[in-house]
Amino acid sequence: MTKRPADSEDQDHSLKAGERPAPPDNGSNGNEAGPFEDDFEDEFESEDEILEAGVDGRPDEEREAEEKRDAMDMDQKTFIPGRDKLAAGESLSPDTSTYDMLHNMTTTWPCLSFDIVPDQLGDNRKAYPASLYAVAGTQAESRRVSQNELMIMKLSGLSRMDRRKDEEDSDEDDDDEDENADPILETKSIPLPSTTNRIRAHQYPPQNASRPPTTHTATLLENSDILIHDVTPHLTSFDTPGTTITPQHAKPLATLKMHRTEGYAVDWSPLASSGKLLTGDNDGKIFITTCMEGGKWTPDNRPFTGHESSVEDLQWSPNERSVFASVSSDGTVKIWDVRSKSHKPAVSVQVSEVDVNVISWSRQTTHLLATGADNGQWAVWDLRQWKPSTESAPSAKPTPVASFDFHKEQITSIEWHPTDDSIMAVAAGDNTLTLWDLAVELDDEESKDTAGVQDVPPQLLFVHYMEMVKECHWHPQIPGCVMGTGGGGFG
């Protein structure tokens, strides 16, 4: 290799690609090449060394460890809706990898109460896309009260979360395309004269196998009326082309006017062969309405009384035809027997110093009752510990089987899993819908690991953010499927 003269005019010029600068003249004559020093000499002696160092000059293991540390530094704190607050410009988005299925929808007016309708598609369904049927009542603004309606809905094409993008070797086939179908919402509506406070559906077995089951709804309106509708034709029309819905089908089977004030408490008896309905109002009165022969709906002349304030929720016993429970803003739970001529509670227990908003009676373990209160606390009670009360000796407050104060706003809905007596769904005013597993033991060391998040009970399984959530219900035929509604729509 020749050496450039020190006084060469090209020394100050830019080097061409691939050229290297010449070392200075060390006094040798022009024909003898001196020792060559490469200013850009590679720091690695062999290809093996280069491979070990990775793409940025460091071993891959060292670089990956640093990237992991950086990621942890960026996300050291778990965000808990209802406790943590978003900074200006921040928003929440769900981690879709934690869901098997997640869909959201909005309606023209909010529907703050709804119910899932059982269907004929089979039990324990796990195939996708899923389908479900539901009813809901709207809350239109006061100057547009005439736009209120009872909505009968079919949701189909509910696909599972698409995780194929995370799987490099996944193969697409027709089944995958079916599972990732676009969701479809079909609706029928019945006009309502007022805002819906609460709605519940009840289904009767069909008279013969060729006919669908009969589905009735009970809608508690803000004007204190209760409307009972037969929505069987509307549900049938979704799957039977040519089904005719006449104006007569929009008329209620009965309009009940025994309440003097509005109410939010309603429940259908799961054991009565004919329709039997419980309703409660803000005056603390509870009425039973029964469907008589010939289809006439008749309320009792005399209400059940005993609460000192509004009746917030009611539930029939899942295994005793004549027994029901109620909760009130007076902080009590009362157990009633409809056979009592006094129409007074058999058991009355003060379970909270604030309003008790909601109640759920376990279908699997029928001595367990869950309550949710206005201070965010919810609890599970063993009814075997409750003793009958008298006016001279009211029942002492028992100790709950379990009690949680994770939520910091009022509990708005609570419901036992339909087939697992340890799983609960709870909705609260802190914009969260949470799932709980009561089978988790407090002394289980593994269960105590909450990933560094403070004040989180080990029984807490899942936290879902849902704006102004008011109600949640498990689907009885789709394992693990929970539906909720709130000011931001359905999810």
Side-chain angles (χ1 to χ4, degrees):
M1 178 177 181
T2 58
K3 180 176 67 174
R4 294 183 180 180
D7 58 350
S8 170
E9 294 179 356
D10 295 335
Q11 186 68 28
D12 294 332
H13 294 172
S14 300
L15 298 175
K16 295 181 180 179
E19 293 183 341
R20 298 179 183 273
D25 190 355
N26 60 1
S28 304
N29 59 39
N31 296 327
E32 184 178 354
F36 176 70
E37 296 182 4
D38 188 355
D39 290 346
F40 298 91
E41 181 179 4
D42 292 336
E43 57 182 306
F44 306 110
E45 297 295 334
S46 67
E47 291 185 3
D48 291 340
E49 235 183 308
I50 295 175
L51 291 173
E52 181 181 354
V55 296
D56 61 354
R58 295 177 298 162
D60 289 339
E61 293 81 0
E62 180 183 336
R63 186 183 69 260
E64 290 171 358
E66 182 177 329
E67 290 174 351
K68 186 174 181 180
R69 287 195 301 271
D70 291 343
M72 293 177 64
D73 290 340
M74 293 170 59
D75 189 23
Q76 285 186 339
K77 187 175 185 298
T78 300
F79 187 94
I80 301 179
R83 293 192 178 187
D84 302 325
K85 294 184 178 180
L86 294 172
E90 291 183 334
S91 61
L92 287 179
S93 60
D95 179 0
T96 56
S97 67
T98 63
Y99 296 82
D100 282 338
M101 180 174 69
L102 177 62
H103 296 277
N104 300 289
M105 73 171 190
T106 57
T107 51
T108 303
W109 296 110
C111 298
L112 303 186
S113 182
F114 79 104
D115 205 5
I116 293 175
V117 179
D119 54 52
Q120 307 303 303
L121 302 180
D123 296 332
N124 198 32
R125 303 199 300 266
K126 298 180 181 179
Y128 291 92
S131 296
L132 63 84
Y133 302 79
V135 293
T138 62
Q139 284 80 30
E141 58 186 40
S142 57
R143 61 190 179 92
R144 296 186 179 179
V145 65
S146 62
Q147 297 184 13
N148 279 299
E149 59 186 4
L150 189 166
M151 297 180 62
I152 303 98
M153 302 178 285
K154 178 185 178 181
L155 290 76
S156 57
L158 302 176
S159 59
R160 73 163 75 227
M161 301 305 297
D162 184 7
R163 299 192 180 97
R164 289 178 301 172
K165 58 181 176 291
D166 299 326
E167 301 172 3
E168 297 179 356
D169 299 327
S170 63
D171 296 324
E172 297 184 11
D173 52 30
D174 292 339
D175 291 339
D176 290 336
E177 293 178 2
D178 290 340
E179 287 192 1
N180 292 294
D182 291 331
I184 300 171
L185 170 64
E186 302 171 73
T187 64
K188 304 293 181 183
S189 66
I190 296 174
L192 294 176
S194 182
T195 293
T196 296
N197 287 349
R198 191 71 57 88
I199 185 171
R200 291 293 180 263
H202 182 62
Q203 204 165 76
Y204 309 87
Q207 298 294 331
N208 58 68
S210 63
R211 298 181 62 83
T214 299
T215 303
H216 287 170
T217 61
T219 309
L220 273 65
L221 300 179
E222 190 178 41
N223 65 8
S224 78
D225 288 351
I226 302 165
L227 303 185
I228 299 176
H229 287 91
D230 183 354
V231 297
T232 308
H234 306 78
L235 291 166
T236 303
S237 69
F238 293 132
D239 303 308
T240 307
T243 300
T244 302
I245 300 177
T246 66
Q248 186 68 25
H249 291 143
K251 295 182 178 180
L253 299 176
T255 300
L256 307 177
K257 294 180 174 291
M258 62 278 193
H259 291 285
R260 295 292 177 261
T261 58
E262 65 177 314
Y264 293 84
V266 58
D267 193 38
W268 292 93
S269 170
L271 302 177
S273 55
S274 61
K276 189 177 285 289
L277 188 68
L278 274 174
T279 53
D281 61 30
N282 288 351
D283 285 339
K285 296 178 179 179
I286 300 170
F287 285 88
I288 295 179
T289 301
T290 306
C291 183
M292 303 298 188
E293 291 186 11
K296 183 179 181 180
W297 294 84
T298 305
D300 284 352
N301 294 325
R302 190 158 61 100
F304 290 82
T305 57
H307 282 297
E308 297 177 358
S309 188
S310 61
V311 179
E312 297 296 316
D313 202 3
L314 291 159
Q315 274 213 341
W316 288 97
S317 166
N319 67 331
E320 294 187 72
R321 186 184 301 270
S322 62
V323 176
F324 70 89
S326 63
V327 294
S328 167
S329 54
D330 62 16
T332 66
V333 177
K334 298 186 188 297
I335 309 296
W336 313 72
D337 191 326
V338 300
R339 296 168 297 186
S340 169
K341 294 181 179 180
S342 68
H343 281 209
K344 296 295 182 180
V347 179
S348 180
V349 175
Q350 188 82 33
V351 299
S352 177
E353 300 303 319
V354 298
D355 299 7
V356 182
N357 299 327
V358 288
I359 189 173
S360 183
W361 207 320
S362 173
R363 307 286 178 182
Q364 302 298 313
T365 307
T366 56
H367 60 264
L368 294 180
L369 193 73
T371 59
D374 221 36
N375 57 5
Q377 293 185 354
W378 68 274
V380 177
W381 308 88
D382 187 341
L383 297 180
R384 296 173 300 182
Q385 299 177 1
W386 292 14
K387 305 302 180 183
S389 56
T390 63
E391 293 184 4
S392 59
S395 298
K397 181 179 178 180
T399 301
V401 175
S403 180
F404 302 95
D405 60 358
F406 172 79
H407 291 285
K408 301 308 178 186
E409 299 290 341
Q410 72 275 13
I411 304 299
T412 60
S413 186
I414 190 168
E415 189 167 286
W416 291 92
H417 190 284
T419 60
D420 190 330
D421 61 0
S422 67
I423 304 297
M424 301 287 299
V426 179
D430 55 13
N431 298 325
T432 61
L433 194 165
T434 54
L435 303 182
W436 300 76
D437 184 357
L438 302 181
V440 174
E441 298 290 342
L442 291 176
D443 58 355
D444 185 347
E445 290 298 326
E446 184 178 351
S447 300
K448 293 180 181 179
D449 182 10
T450 56
V453 182
Q454 300 297 318
D455 302 324
V456 173
Q459 292 87 353
L460 180 61
L461 289 178
F462 198 82
V463 179
H464 174 72
Y465 176 82
M466 192 170 189
E467 183 180 357
M468 294 183 288
V469 59
K470 294 298 182 183
E471 276 190 14
C472 63
H473 298 297
W474 295 93
H475 195 295
Q477 298 165 281
I478 305 178
C481 177
V482 181
M483 186 173 179
T485 189
F490 290 91

